[in-house]
Amino acid sequence: MDTAGTDAFQDIAPTTLADLLGRAQVMDSGIRPLWDAPRVAGPAYTVRCEPGDNLMLHAAIHRAEPGSVVAVESGDLDYALAGGNVCAVARRRGIAAFVLDGLIRDLAEVREAAFPVFARGVVPIPGTKKKLGTLGEPVHVGGVLIHPGDIVVADEEGIVVTPAARREEILTAARAKLAQEAEESLDTWEANHRARIDDALRGLGFSD
């Protein structure tokens, strides 16, 4: 898995990527940072856990490459997928973050370990380790279809997934967008914004 090729995405906010990629590549707002973690970016290592079971996530922490974002489909809001020790080992192995369509426990330990976790919340009871799911197959997380190696960027603004095949295209477009925005003063933005809004209002028959 190519983790080095995703480093440049660390400097691109999810808001910029969302403008370029659209709603289909943005996870729903229920998956959020569980502590004040920094922005993370990395290729997806995909996991599917059976509801109520966390075996495959526990297997993944020993198989995912350093720099990976472990993205987990579980469909379960009753049992925790991971706890403090799992997150500490993941951090030790260089995994960038967990993005979980599910829950964790031991949040204080996770925060103390400074391991970024984006999930739907916390619950104190762990799942079982008795059911096979999948590793390295496409998964649905937060309403987004993720393939192994897709680039996941996550911070407090949300989580956006860039398809691996579009990596260079989106990176180039994002850099151009950021450069343009950096050159535009607030006065210029305000004037352009006012003109766009007034045009939209007139087009809908609105007048002061």
PDB file of all heavy atoms in Angstrom, residues 125-152:
ATOM      1  N   ILE A 125     -19.094  -1.778  26.812  1.00  0.00           N
ATOM      2  CA  ILE A 125     -19.044  -3.240  26.672  1.00  0.00           C
ATOM      3  C   ILE A 125     -18.419  -3.642  25.342  1.00  0.00           C
ATOM      4  O   ILE A 125     -18.782  -3.108  24.290  1.00  0.00           O
ATOM      5  CB  ILE A 125     -20.456  -3.853  26.825  1.00  0.00           C
ATOM      6  CG1 ILE A 125     -20.379  -5.376  26.816  1.00  0.00           C
ATOM      7  CG2 ILE A 125     -21.396  -3.353  25.734  1.00  0.00           C
ATOM      8  CD1 ILE A 125     -21.667  -6.047  27.255  1.00  0.00           C
ATOM      9  N   PRO A 126     -17.447  -4.585  25.365  1.00  0.00           N
ATOM     10  CA  PRO A 126     -16.774  -4.974  24.122  1.00  0.00           C
ATOM     11  C   PRO A 126     -17.562  -6.016  23.347  1.00  0.00           C
ATOM     12  O   PRO A 126     -18.373  -6.762  23.901  1.00  0.00           O
ATOM     13  CB  PRO A 126     -15.456  -5.568  24.612  1.00  0.00           C
ATOM     14  CG  PRO A 126     -15.816  -6.190  25.924  1.00  0.00           C
ATOM     15  CD  PRO A 126     -16.857  -5.269  26.530  1.00  0.00           C
ATOM     16  N   GLY A 127     -17.289  -6.067  22.049  1.00  0.00           N
ATOM     17  CA  GLY A 127     -17.848  -7.124  21.215  1.00  0.00           C
ATOM     18  C   GLY A 127     -17.092  -8.427  21.401  1.00  0.00           C
ATOM     19  O   GLY A 127     -16.074  -8.495  22.093  1.00  0.00           O
ATOM     20  N   THR A 128     -17.597  -9.472  20.757  1.00  0.00           N
ATOM     21  CA  THR A 128     -16.936 -10.774  20.809  1.00  0.00           C
ATOM     22  C   THR A 128     -15.847 -10.841  19.748  1.00  0.00           C
ATOM     23  O   THR A 128     -15.654  -9.926  18.946  1.00  0.00           O
ATOM     24  CB  THR A 128     -17.957 -11.896  20.575  1.00  0.00           C
ATOM     25  OG1 THR A 128     -18.518 -11.746  19.252  1.00  0.00           O
ATOM     26  CG2 THR A 128     -19.082 -11.846  21.596  1.00  0.00           C
ATOM     27  N   LYS A 129     -15.141 -11.959  19.733  1.00  0.00           N
ATOM     28  CA  LYS A 129     -14.096 -12.214  18.732  1.00  0.00           C
ATOM     29  C   LYS A 129     -14.303 -13.623  18.184  1.00  0.00           C
ATOM     30  O   LYS A 129     -13.444 -14.485  18.283  1.00  0.00           O
ATOM     31  CB  LYS A 129     -12.707 -12.057  19.351  1.00  0.00           C
ATOM     32  CG  LYS A 129     -12.436 -10.639  19.845  1.00  0.00           C
ATOM     33  CD  LYS A 129     -11.159 -10.558  20.644  1.00  0.00           C
ATOM     34  CE  LYS A 129     -10.950  -9.136  21.141  1.00  0.00           C
ATOM     35  NZ  LYS A 129     -12.042  -8.707  22.071  1.00  0.00           N
ATOM     36  N   LYS A 130     -15.460 -13.820  17.563  1.00  0.00           N
ATOM     37  CA  LYS A 130     -15.852 -15.157  17.141  1.00  0.00           C
ATOM     38  C   LYS A 130     -16.258 -15.254  15.674  1.00  0.00           C
ATOM     39  O   LYS A 130     -16.512 -16.345  15.183  1.00  0.00           O
ATOM     40  CB  LYS A 130     -17.028 -15.653  17.996  1.00  0.00           C
ATOM     41  CG  LYS A 130     -16.708 -15.778  19.474  1.00  0.00           C
ATOM     42  CD  LYS A 130     -17.930 -16.241  20.260  1.00  0.00           C
ATOM     43  CE  LYS A 130     -17.616 -16.401  21.723  1.00  0.00           C
ATOM     44  NZ  LYS A 130     -18.812 -16.838  22.513  1.00  0.00           N
ATOM     45  N   LYS A 131     -16.360 -14.101  14.974  1.00  0.00           N
ATOM     46  CA  LYS A 131     -16.930 -14.117  13.632  1.00  0.00           C
ATOM     47  C   LYS A 131     -15.970 -13.531  12.614  1.00  0.00           C
ATOM     48  O   LYS A 131     -15.369 -12.481  12.842  1.00  0.00           O
ATOM     49  CB  LYS A 131     -18.242 -13.330  13.605  1.00  0.00           C
ATOM     50  CG  LYS A 131     -19.311 -13.883  14.541  1.00  0.00           C
ATOM     51  CD  LYS A 131     -20.557 -13.012  14.526  1.00  0.00           C
ATOM     52  CE  LYS A 131     -21.612 -13.512  15.496  1.00  0.00           C
ATOM     53  NZ  LYS A 131     -22.797 -12.628  15.530  1.00  0.00           N
ATOM     54  N   LEU A 132     -15.868 -14.205  11.475  1.00  0.00           N
ATOM     55  CA  LEU A 132     -15.045 -13.694  10.381  1.00  0.00           C
ATOM     56  C   LEU A 132     -15.780 -12.614   9.610  1.00  0.00           C
ATOM     57  O   LEU A 132     -16.954 -12.760   9.276  1.00  0.00           O
ATOM     58  CB  LEU A 132     -14.670 -14.821   9.415  1.00  0.00           C
ATOM     59  CG  LEU A 132     -13.533 -15.741   9.831  1.00  0.00           C
ATOM     60  CD1 LEU A 132     -13.351 -16.819   8.767  1.00  0.00           C
ATOM     61  CD2 LEU A 132     -12.239 -14.956  10.019  1.00  0.00           C
ATOM     62  N   GLY A 133     -15.080 -11.545   9.348  1.00  0.00           N
ATOM     63  CA  GLY A 133     -15.530 -10.530   8.410  1.00  0.00           C
ATOM     64  C   GLY A 133     -14.564 -10.526   7.244  1.00  0.00           C
ATOM     65  O   GLY A 133     -14.213 -11.593   6.731  1.00  0.00           O
ATOM     66  N   THR A 134     -14.112  -9.346   6.841  1.00  0.00           N
ATOM     67  CA  THR A 134     -13.166  -9.272   5.732  1.00  0.00           C
ATOM     68  C   THR A 134     -12.078  -8.244   6.022  1.00  0.00           C
ATOM     69  O   THR A 134     -12.272  -7.303   6.795  1.00  0.00           O
ATOM     70  CB  THR A 134     -13.860  -8.876   4.412  1.00  0.00           C
ATOM     71  OG1 THR A 134     -14.432  -7.572   4.548  1.00  0.00           O
ATOM     72  CG2 THR A 134     -14.941  -9.874   4.039  1.00  0.00           C
ATOM     73  N   LEU A 135     -10.954  -8.424   5.373  1.00  0.00           N
ATOM     74  CA  LEU A 135      -9.863  -7.456   5.346  1.00  0.00           C
ATOM     75  C   LEU A 135      -9.528  -7.177   3.888  1.00  0.00           C
ATOM     76  O   LEU A 135      -9.478  -8.098   3.077  1.00  0.00           O
ATOM     77  CB  LEU A 135      -8.618  -7.992   6.054  1.00  0.00           C
ATOM     78  CG  LEU A 135      -8.732  -8.328   7.543  1.00  0.00           C
ATOM     79  CD1 LEU A 135      -7.414  -8.933   8.031  1.00  0.00           C
ATOM     80  CD2 LEU A 135      -9.089  -7.097   8.365  1.00  0.00           C
ATOM     81  N   GLY A 136      -9.297  -5.899   3.573  1.00  0.00           N
ATOM     82  CA  GLY A 136      -8.848  -5.553   2.234  1.00  0.00           C
ATOM     83  C   GLY A 136      -9.895  -5.679   1.155  1.00  0.00           C
ATOM     84  O   GLY A 136      -9.551  -5.836  -0.022  1.00  0.00           O
ATOM     85  N   GLU A 137     -11.171  -5.589   1.522  1.00  0.00           N
ATOM     86  CA  GLU A 137     -12.264  -5.601   0.558  1.00  0.00           C
ATOM     87  C   GLU A 137     -13.018  -4.271   0.653  1.00  0.00           C
ATOM     88  O   GLU A 137     -12.933  -3.575   1.661  1.00  0.00           O
ATOM     89  CB  GLU A 137     -13.228  -6.763   0.840  1.00  0.00           C
ATOM     90  CG  GLU A 137     -12.594  -8.143   0.749  1.00  0.00           C
ATOM     91  CD  GLU A 137     -12.195  -8.519  -0.668  1.00  0.00           C
ATOM     92  OE1 GLU A 137     -12.817  -7.967  -1.605  1.00  0.00           O
ATOM     93  OE2 GLU A 137     -11.291  -9.346  -0.820  1.00  0.00           O
ATOM     94  N   PRO A 138     -13.772  -3.901  -0.403  1.00  0.00           N
ATOM     95  CA  PRO A 138     -14.548  -2.651  -0.307  1.00  0.00           C
ATOM     96  C   PRO A 138     -15.515  -2.683   0.869  1.00  0.00           C
ATOM     97  O   PRO A 138     -16.098  -3.725   1.186  1.00  0.00           O
ATOM     98  CB  PRO A 138     -15.297  -2.607  -1.645  1.00  0.00           C
ATOM     99  CG  PRO A 138     -14.454  -3.409  -2.580  1.00  0.00           C
ATOM    100  CD  PRO A 138     -13.889  -4.525  -1.741  1.00  0.00           C
ATOM    101  N   VAL A 139     -15.657  -1.533   1.534  1.00  0.00           N
ATOM    102  CA  VAL A 139     -16.560  -1.421   2.676  1.00  0.00           C
ATOM    103  C   VAL A 139     -17.354  -0.125   2.566  1.00  0.00           C
ATOM    104  O   VAL A 139     -16.970   0.804   1.843  1.00  0.00           O
ATOM    105  CB  VAL A 139     -15.787  -1.432   4.017  1.00  0.00           C
ATOM    106  CG1 VAL A 139     -15.121  -2.771   4.247  1.00  0.00           C
ATOM    107  CG2 VAL A 139     -14.765  -0.291   4.079  1.00  0.00           C
ATOM    108  N   HIS A 140     -18.461  -0.058   3.282  1.00  0.00           N
ATOM    109  CA  HIS A 140     -19.246   1.170   3.407  1.00  0.00           C
ATOM    110  C   HIS A 140     -19.059   1.714   4.821  1.00  0.00           C
ATOM    111  O   HIS A 140     -19.382   1.027   5.796  1.00  0.00           O
ATOM    112  CB  HIS A 140     -20.735   0.907   3.149  1.00  0.00           C
ATOM    113  CG  HIS A 140     -21.060   0.705   1.702  1.00  0.00           C
ATOM    114  ND1 HIS A 140     -21.006  -0.541   1.102  1.00  0.00           N
ATOM    115  CD2 HIS A 140     -21.430   1.594   0.733  1.00  0.00           C
ATOM    116  CE1 HIS A 140     -21.343  -0.409  -0.177  1.00  0.00           C
ATOM    117  NE2 HIS A 140     -21.605   0.867  -0.420  1.00  0.00           N
ATOM    118  N   VAL A 141     -18.543   2.926   4.908  1.00  0.00           N
ATOM    119  CA  VAL A 141     -18.311   3.565   6.200  1.00  0.00           C
ATOM    120  C   VAL A 141     -18.892   4.971   6.137  1.00  0.00           C
ATOM    121  O   VAL A 141     -18.527   5.762   5.269  1.00  0.00           O
ATOM    122  CB  VAL A 141     -16.808   3.632   6.536  1.00  0.00           C
ATOM    123  CG1 VAL A 141     -16.597   4.312   7.889  1.00  0.00           C
ATOM    124  CG2 VAL A 141     -16.191   2.248   6.535  1.00  0.00           C
ATOM    125  N   GLY A 142     -19.832   5.263   7.027  1.00  0.00           N
ATOM    126  CA  GLY A 142     -20.447   6.579   7.035  1.00  0.00           C
ATOM    127  C   GLY A 142     -21.142   6.937   5.744  1.00  0.00           C
ATOM    128  O   GLY A 142     -21.228   8.104   5.371  1.00  0.00           O
ATOM    129  N   GLY A 143     -21.643   5.919   5.035  1.00  0.00           N
ATOM    130  CA  GLY A 143     -22.347   6.151   3.783  1.00  0.00           C
ATOM    131  C   GLY A 143     -21.464   6.268   2.564  1.00  0.00           C
ATOM    132  O   GLY A 143     -21.966   6.503   1.461  1.00  0.00           O
ATOM    133  N   VAL A 144     -20.158   6.077   2.739  1.00  0.00           N
ATOM    134  CA  VAL A 144     -19.218   6.191   1.619  1.00  0.00           C
ATOM    135  C   VAL A 144     -18.632   4.816   1.296  1.00  0.00           C
ATOM    136  O   VAL A 144     -18.199   4.092   2.201  1.00  0.00           O
ATOM    137  CB  VAL A 144     -18.071   7.174   1.943  1.00  0.00           C
ATOM    138  CG1 VAL A 144     -17.068   7.247   0.793  1.00  0.00           C
ATOM    139  CG2 VAL A 144     -18.631   8.559   2.241  1.00  0.00           C
ATOM    140  N   LEU A 145     -18.614   4.472   0.020  1.00  0.00           N
ATOM    141  CA  LEU A 145     -17.960   3.241  -0.421  1.00  0.00           C
ATOM    142  C   LEU A 145     -16.459   3.486  -0.473  1.00  0.00           C
ATOM    143  O   LEU A 145     -15.993   4.391  -1.175  1.00  0.00           O
ATOM    144  CB  LEU A 145     -18.474   2.825  -1.796  1.00  0.00           C
ATOM    145  CG  LEU A 145     -17.809   1.607  -2.427  1.00  0.00           C
ATOM    146  CD1 LEU A 145     -18.037   0.357  -1.578  1.00  0.00           C
ATOM    147  CD2 LEU A 145     -18.313   1.392  -3.850  1.00  0.00           C
ATOM    148  N   ILE A 146     -15.695   2.687   0.270  1.00  0.00           N
ATOM    149  CA  ILE A 146     -14.251   2.843   0.350  1.00  0.00           C
ATOM    150  C   ILE A 146     -13.571   1.589  -0.177  1.00  0.00           C
ATOM    151  O   ILE A 146     -13.887   0.475   0.247  1.00  0.00           O
ATOM    152  CB  ILE A 146     -13.783   3.091   1.792  1.00  0.00           C
ATOM    153  CG1 ILE A 146     -14.555   4.245   2.425  1.00  0.00           C
ATOM    154  CG2 ILE A 146     -12.283   3.367   1.837  1.00  0.00           C
ATOM    155  CD1 ILE A 146     -14.186   4.490   3.873  1.00  0.00           C
ATOM    156  N   HIS A 147     -12.634   1.786  -1.099  1.00  0.00           N
ATOM    157  CA  HIS A 147     -11.803   0.698  -1.587  1.00  0.00           C
ATOM    158  C   HIS A 147     -10.432   0.762  -0.911  1.00  0.00           C
ATOM    159  O   HIS A 147      -9.979   1.859  -0.535  1.00  0.00           O
ATOM    160  CB  HIS A 147     -11.620   0.785  -3.108  1.00  0.00           C
ATOM    161  CG  HIS A 147     -12.888   0.534  -3.872  1.00  0.00           C
ATOM    162  ND1 HIS A 147     -13.825   1.526  -4.103  1.00  0.00           N
ATOM    163  CD2 HIS A 147     -13.369  -0.598  -4.461  1.00  0.00           C
ATOM    164  CE1 HIS A 147     -14.827   1.015  -4.803  1.00  0.00           C
ATOM    165  NE2 HIS A 147     -14.585  -0.268  -5.019  1.00  0.00           N
ATOM    166  N   PRO A 148      -9.758  -0.356  -0.772  1.00  0.00           N
ATOM    167  CA  PRO A 148      -8.414  -0.315  -0.198  1.00  0.00           C
ATOM    168  C   PRO A 148      -7.526   0.664  -0.970  1.00  0.00           C
ATOM    169  O   PRO A 148      -7.520   0.661  -2.202  1.00  0.00           O
ATOM    170  CB  PRO A 148      -7.922  -1.753  -0.370  1.00  0.00           C
ATOM    171  CG  PRO A 148      -9.163  -2.570  -0.428  1.00  0.00           C
ATOM    172  CD  PRO A 148     -10.186  -1.728  -1.132  1.00  0.00           C
ATOM    173  N   GLY A 149      -6.810   1.502  -0.237  1.00  0.00           N
ATOM    174  CA  GLY A 149      -5.914   2.452  -0.874  1.00  0.00           C
ATOM    175  C   GLY A 149      -6.528   3.799  -1.190  1.00  0.00           C
ATOM    176  O   GLY A 149      -5.803   4.746  -1.544  1.00  0.00           O
ATOM    177  N   ASP A 150      -7.856   3.943  -1.098  1.00  0.00           N
ATOM    178  CA  ASP A 150      -8.461   5.264  -1.226  1.00  0.00           C
ATOM    179  C   ASP A 150      -7.903   6.159  -0.124  1.00  0.00           C
ATOM    180  O   ASP A 150      -7.559   5.687   0.965  1.00  0.00           O
ATOM    181  CB  ASP A 150      -9.981   5.187  -1.096  1.00  0.00           C
ATOM    182  CG  ASP A 150     -10.658   4.583  -2.320  1.00  0.00           C
ATOM    183  OD1 ASP A 150      -9.970   4.379  -3.340  1.00  0.00           O
ATOM    184  OD2 ASP A 150     -11.877   4.326  -2.245  1.00  0.00           O
ATOM    185  N   ILE A 151      -7.828   7.461  -0.386  1.00  0.00           N
ATOM    186  CA  ILE A 151      -7.221   8.373   0.585  1.00  0.00           C
ATOM    187  C   ILE A 151      -8.292   8.940   1.490  1.00  0.00           C
ATOM    188  O   ILE A 151      -9.255   9.563   1.035  1.00  0.00           O
ATOM    189  CB  ILE A 151      -6.444   9.507  -0.104  1.00  0.00           C
ATOM    190  CG1 ILE A 151      -5.317   8.952  -0.971  1.00  0.00           C
ATOM    191  CG2 ILE A 151      -5.851  10.454   0.929  1.00  0.00           C
ATOM    192  CD1 ILE A 151      -5.655   8.787  -2.403  1.00  0.00           C
ATOM    193  N   VAL A 152      -8.114   8.723   2.795  1.00  0.00           N
ATOM    194  CA  VAL A 152      -9.044   9.215   3.798  1.00  0.00           C
ATOM    195  C   VAL A 152      -8.422  10.428   4.485  1.00  0.00           C
ATOM    196  O   VAL A 152      -7.295  10.355   4.989  1.00  0.00           O
ATOM    197  CB  VAL A 152      -9.363   8.138   4.848  1.00  0.00           C
ATOM    198  CG1 VAL A 152     -10.341   8.661   5.891  1.00  0.00           C
ATOM    199  CG2 VAL A 152      -9.914   6.880   4.177  1.00  0.00           C
TER     200      VAL A 152
END
